[in-house]
């Protein structure tokens, strides 16, 4: 039961000049935030700042993806993807800048361990890039059926790539690149991290005042949950069988992934919530358009 669920504020910090969009969680003592102010900040759970990279991009940074504990990639409204590598002094430095790989803003990236980057853009394209010795090659271009790519989910064990955009969720078979589209579902998504895997059977997507649960095997919507705001970010906690949603509201919605029971935590931020991530310690971190980041303790 979620009736006794409690979200307690542990600490709060305002270090950005603009919206905090999402996080990369490296370890218990290393968190990376990206912002609309074009900066990257590396800090710990007490918000001790280890590094701040000003003007990491020319425009808003939309997403971050960790390859491993020493490498991550970012994408931006400046149409670029950048890879960053930790140097011997523990500071991150720019490794590779991939410019104008898309014709419009890049909303989502996935940085895989085999040195592949999957990107999704406002230009309705998904691209798969192979990186090697500080060079890159675009090996695959997928036309996303005339729909913006807001979010991507890669299910490696099933050779599936799932995109979510303004109108549809598309399922692609990465083993059949001549005709990769398997099926499409009418589902709306407006958040780079609002498409997440719940378990081996289900995924969740946040939409326009509803949250949809989709069967991976059947590739259809099996549950629709009404919500009082548009969802921009979802954080799944598999061990507790719950997920948290944030978006165009100061509130956070908590949902039980088994029975879909729902509870709302009110006024977690002053305005909208852009990012929600699970820390290695089990705590929750949120980022907001009020330029702040907050760390929470969730008890059930």
């Amino acid at each position: 039961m979620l009736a006794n669920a409690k979200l307690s504020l542990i600490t709060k910090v305002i270090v950005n000049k603009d919206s905090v969009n999402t996080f990369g969680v490296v370890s218990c003592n290393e968190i990376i935030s990206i912002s609309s102010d074009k900066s990257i900040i590396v800090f710990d759970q007490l918000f001790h700042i280890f590094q701040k990279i000003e003007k990491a991009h020319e425009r808003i940074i939309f997403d971050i993806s960790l390859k491993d504990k020493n490498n991550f990639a970012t994408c931006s409204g400046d149409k670029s993807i950048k890879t960053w590598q930790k140097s011997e002094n523990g500071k991150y430095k720019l490794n590779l800048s991939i410019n104008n790989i898309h014709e419009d803003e890049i909303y989502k990236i996935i940085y895989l361990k085999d040195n592949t980057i999957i990107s999704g853009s406002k230009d309705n394209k998904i691209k798969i890039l192979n990186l090697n010795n500080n060079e890159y090659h675009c090996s695959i271009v997928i036309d996303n059926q005339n729909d913006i790519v807001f979010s991507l989910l890669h299910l490696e064990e099933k050779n599936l790539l799932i995109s979510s955009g303004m109108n549809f969720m598309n399922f692609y078979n990465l083993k059949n690149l001549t005709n990769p589209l398997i099926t499409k579902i009418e589902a709306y998504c407006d958040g780079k991290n609002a498409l997440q895997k719940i378990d081996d059977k289900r995924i969740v997507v946040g939409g326009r005042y509803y949250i949809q649960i989709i069967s991976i095997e059947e590739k259809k919507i099996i549950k629709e949950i009404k919500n009082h705001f548009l969802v921009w970010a979802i954080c799944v906690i598999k061990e507790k069988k719950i997920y948290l949603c944030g978006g165009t509201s100061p509130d956070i919605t908590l949902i039980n992934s088994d029975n879909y029971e729902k509870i709302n935590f009110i006024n977690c931020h002053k305005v909208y919530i852009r990012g929600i991530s699970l820390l290695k310690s089990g705590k929750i971190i949120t980022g907001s358009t009020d330029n702040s980041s907050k760390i929470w303790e969730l008890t059930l």
Side-chain angles (χ1 to χ4, degrees):
M1 299 291 290
L2 296 185
N4 297 322
K6 186 178 180 181
L7 194 64
S8 305
L9 181 63
I10 303 298
T11 185
K12 170 188 174 183
V13 66
I14 299 177
V15 295
N16 290 88
K17 300 172 186 176
D18 207 334
S19 168
V20 181
N21 292 331
T22 192
F23 306 92
V25 180
V26 181
S27 67
C28 286
N29 294 311
E30 188 174 329
I31 305 159
I32 305 171
S33 70
I34 58 167
S35 171
S36 295
D37 68 11
K38 311 167 193 174
S39 73
I40 298 171
I41 300 178
V42 186
F43 57 95
D44 65 13
Q45 289 190 84
L46 298 176
F47 288 105
H48 296 137
I49 296 176
F50 303 135
Q51 184 180 4
K52 186 170 184 178
I53 305 171
E54 301 275 9
K55 297 182 180 179
H57 282 268
E58 295 299 317
R59 293 184 62 191
I60 175 175
I61 307 174
F62 284 111
D63 197 25
I64 179 172
S65 179
L66 305 181
K67 174 189 169 187
D68 51 42
K69 64 180 181 180
N70 295 314
N71 296 271
F72 68 88
T74 53
C75 65
S76 168
D78 64 12
K79 309 178 196 174
S80 77
I81 296 169
K82 295 186 177 183
T83 64
W84 307 84
Q85 186 173 52
K86 188 177 287 185
S87 56
E88 291 182 0
N89 65 3
K91 303 289 187 180
Y92 289 97
K93 64 179 181 179
L94 179 63
N95 190 44
L96 178 64
S97 183
I98 304 170
N99 300 309
N100 297 312
I101 192 67
H102 283 275
E103 296 177 6
D104 213 323
E105 297 177 327
I106 304 172
Y107 291 140
K108 184 68 180 179
I109 50 170
I110 303 172
Y111 196 4
L112 301 177
K113 295 187 184 301
D114 66 357
N115 246 17
T116 298
I117 290 179
I118 306 173
S119 60
S121 169
K122 190 178 178 181
D123 67 5
N124 304 346
K125 298 290 192 302
I126 298 167
K127 297 194 175 184
I128 299 180
L129 311 177
N130 303 115
L131 279 57
N132 186 29
N133 295 326
N134 294 330
E135 296 182 350
Y136 69 91
H137 169 67
C138 182
S139 60
I140 300 168
V141 178
I142 297 173
D143 187 339
N144 197 48
Q145 307 296 305
N146 296 316
D147 198 12
I148 289 173
V149 184
F150 278 129
S151 195
L152 293 167
L153 185 62
H154 180 229
L155 302 180
E156 184 177 7
E157 69 280 3
K158 297 180 182 294
N159 295 312
L160 277 178
L161 181 65
I162 304 168
S163 71
S164 192
M166 287 289 290
N167 301 300
F168 298 101
M169 176 180 292
N170 296 323
F171 287 75
Y172 296 103
N173 179 0
L174 294 182
K175 289 292 185 181
N176 181 12
L177 298 179
T178 56
N179 188 23
L181 182 65
I182 299 171
T183 191
K184 62 196 309 179
I185 298 171
E186 287 192 27
Y188 174 89
C189 178
D190 192 23
K192 60 193 173 304
N193 291 313
L195 174 62
Q196 299 289 341
K197 179 181 174 182
I198 297 176
D199 50 36
D200 291 336
K201 296 182 179 179
R202 297 170 299 165
I203 55 179
V204 55
V205 61
R208 188 176 289 164
Y209 307 107
Y210 56 77
I211 298 158
Q212 293 174 323
I213 312 299
I214 291 136
S215 165
I216 297 172
E217 192 66 34
E218 298 177 88
K219 299 174 181 58
K220 69 177 186 180
I221 299 168
I222 56 175
K223 180 72 177 180
E224 194 165 275
I225 305 164
K226 289 184 179 180
N227 195 51
H228 68 284
F229 56 82
L230 189 152
V231 177
W232 279 342
I234 297 174
C235 174
V236 175
I237 307 177
K238 295 179 182 178
E239 294 77 12
K240 295 186 178 182
K241 297 183 177 181
I242 57 170
Y243 49 93
L244 299 97
C245 306
T248 57
S249 169
D251 307 337
I252 290 175
T253 297
L254 174 66
I255 298 174
N256 183 304
S257 61
D258 280 350
N259 60 19
Y260 305 116
E261 180 187 3
K262 183 174 74 168
I263 189 172
N264 291 316
F265 299 113
I266 308 299
N267 294 328
C268 296
H269 280 271
K270 290 181 180 179
V271 280
Y272 298 164
I273 297 171
R274 279 285 187 187
I276 306 179
S277 295
L278 177 66
L279 299 181
K280 301 292 185 181
S281 63
K283 295 180 175 64
I284 307 296
I285 187 167
T286 56
S288 170
T289 55
D290 64 13
N291 308 350
S292 76
S293 300
K294 294 183 179 183
I295 292 180
W296 308 83
E297 185 80 59
L298 177 64
T299 54
L300 298 173

